[in-house]
Amino acid sequence: MTILVAMDSFKGSLSSFMANQAVREGIHLIDPSEHVHTATVADGGEGTIEALRHPFQLRLDKYPVLNALGSLKEATYGFNLSTKIAVIEVAEVCGLPEIPVHLRDPIHATTFGVGQLILVAIAKGATHLYIGLGGSATTDGGFGMLRALGVRFFDESEEEILDTGLLHHIHRIDETDMHASLEGCSFTIICDVENPFFGKEGAAHIYGPQKGADGEEVQLLDVGLRCMAASILTSKQLDLQQIVGSGAAGGLGGAFAAFLDGKFVSGAGLILEANDIRKMDKPFTLMFSGEGKIDAQTLKGKLPMSIARMGSAQGVPVILLGEALRSLQMN
C-alpha cells in the first residue's frame, strides 16, 4: 500500500512540510509498515518557494524590503542562476499572518516590497520570474509594487499620489519611468483565485474583511480599485474585469496582467506537475490533502481539490483534512 500525503499549509501555524510530517506520523502510529510518500505543495500562497525549490533547483536568498505596513523585513526568494528563474512569494513580502490582528491596516497596506524584490531578482540575472499570489495583507491593486517599479499615479489636479490610502483619487497613470531592466523579462503568475478586480466578487469585498477591513473600508477599497481599473482601461484599453484572477492578492493579479504581461497558471497544477506527482511509478492506494479551512473556496480549484480530482480520476479514495470545515455544496 502506497499513501500520498500532500498537505497545503495551515496559515500561521503549519507549513506544508510540517503538516505532511504530522499526517505521516499519524499513519505510522496505526501501521509502521505503511509506505508514505510526502510532497511539499502550495497553490501560489505560503510555501510556494519551498514547493518549487527542488524541481527548479533554487538557491534561497534574502533581501531587506518593505512589508505590508512599510517596515523593513528580510524576504526570502528562490533563484537559479543557470536557468535565470526566480520565484517570489507575495506572502513572504507582505503576508497577512505576520501582521498581528490589532495592527492590520487594509487601507494603507502596501505591495511596495514586491516591486523591490522583483528588481533585486532581475539585478541578480533573473529573466523569468514566477510570482506566487496568495496570503497577502494588501488590497492596493498592485499600486505599491508598480510605484517601486517606476510607475507614477496622478489625481485630477495632476498631483502625484504617493499614499495607498488615496487610490480612490487615481485619475491618470504614467509608465514613462518604469525600470528599463523589466524589458525582456517574463512573469508567470501562480494563482488559483478567479475573482475579478472589483465588485461584489472582487478583491475588496471577498477578501477585504479577512484582512481587517470593516464595511466602510471595504467600500473605500473597492472604489479605489474601480478608479485604478478605469485609468488602466483609458490608458491601455485593457478591461481588468475580463481577466480571470485579476482580483488575486488584493488586485495584484490585475497589475501584473496590465503592466508586466503576466501569464496566469494554476498554482496547484504547476506544482503537482513540477514535482511529477501525477507520474509516480507506483500507483497510490490512498491520498491525503487539506488546508487550514475547508470551505467553498477549496472547491474552486485550490490545491486540496486538485488532489481530490486526481484521486477521483484514478479511482483512489482521498481524505481532506482541515482545522475548520465550513458548509460545502458538492456537485
Side-chain angles (χ1 to χ4, degrees), residues 90-104:
V90 169
E92 174 66 19
V93 177
C94 51
L96 184 63
E98 73 175 63
I99 309 295
V101 173
H102 70 283
L103 292 179
R104 291 177 183 175

Side-chain angles (χ1 to χ4, degrees), residues 32-264:
S33 67
E34 291 286 9
H35 177 69
V36 180
H37 176 83
T38 60
T40 300
V41 293
D43 56 14
E46 179 185 357
T48 297
I49 294 172
E50 192 59 37
L52 292 174
R53 184 177 181 179
H54 175 68
F56 283 7
Q57 298 182 320
L58 301 173
R59 185 190 74 194
L60 302 187
D61 283 338
K62 289 188 175 184
Y63 195 83
V65 298
L66 298 184
N67 72 1
L69 299 182
S71 300
L72 272 179
K73 67 161 292 181
E74 290 272 311
T76 299
Y77 68 101
F79 181 60
N80 183 317
L81 183 60
S82 61
T83 63
K84 300 188 182 302
I85 286 175
V87 180
I88 291 172
E89 273 181 37
V90 169
E92 174 66 19
V93 177
C94 51
L96 184 63
E98 73 175 63
I99 309 295
V101 173
H102 70 283
L103 292 179
R104 291 177 183 175
D105 185 0
I107 298 297
H108 298 98
T110 179
T111 55
F112 194 89
V114 176
Q116 290 178 304
L117 203 55
I118 286 172
L119 294 177
V120 167
I122 292 173
K124 286 272 190 179
T127 57
H128 188 176
L129 293 89
Y130 287 78
I131 311 293
L133 300 190
S136 80
T138 59
T139 313
D140 73 348
F143 171 86
M145 177 192 76
L146 293 171
R147 283 195 59 241
L149 298 180
V151 178
R152 302 173 70 192
F153 297 81
F154 297 88
D155 63 18
E156 285 191 271
S157 301
E158 284 299 301
E159 291 290 328
E160 186 170 3
I161 298 172
L162 304 175
D163 184 353
T164 303
L166 299 175
L167 296 186
H168 54 289
H169 289 299
I170 291 175
H171 180 69
R172 184 174 70 84
I173 302 174
D174 186 349
E175 303 174 59
T176 306
D177 296 327
M178 275 190 80
H179 281 259
S181 61
L182 293 164
E183 293 182 18
C185 293
S186 64
F187 291 82
T188 298
I189 311 307
I190 308 171
C191 172
D192 282 324
V193 166
E194 299 180 348
N195 302 81
F197 201 66
F198 61 80
K200 292 300 182 183
E201 297 297 318
H205 281 278
I206 298 299
Y207 300 106
Q210 73 187 42
K211 300 177 183 184
D214 60 26
E216 186 176 332
E217 289 171 327
V218 165
Q219 294 297 332
L220 182 61
L221 289 168
D222 191 62
V223 170
L225 293 174
R226 288 174 185 270
C227 289
M228 191 168 181
S231 294
I232 290 170
L233 181 60
T234 299
S235 63
K236 304 179 77 68
Q237 290 73 56
L238 179 67
D239 184 356
L240 292 184
Q241 285 298 87
Q242 301 305 311
I243 298 176
V244 176
S246 61
L252 195 54
F256 274 106
F259 294 91
L260 298 168
D261 195 28
K263 307 301 183 187
F264 288 77

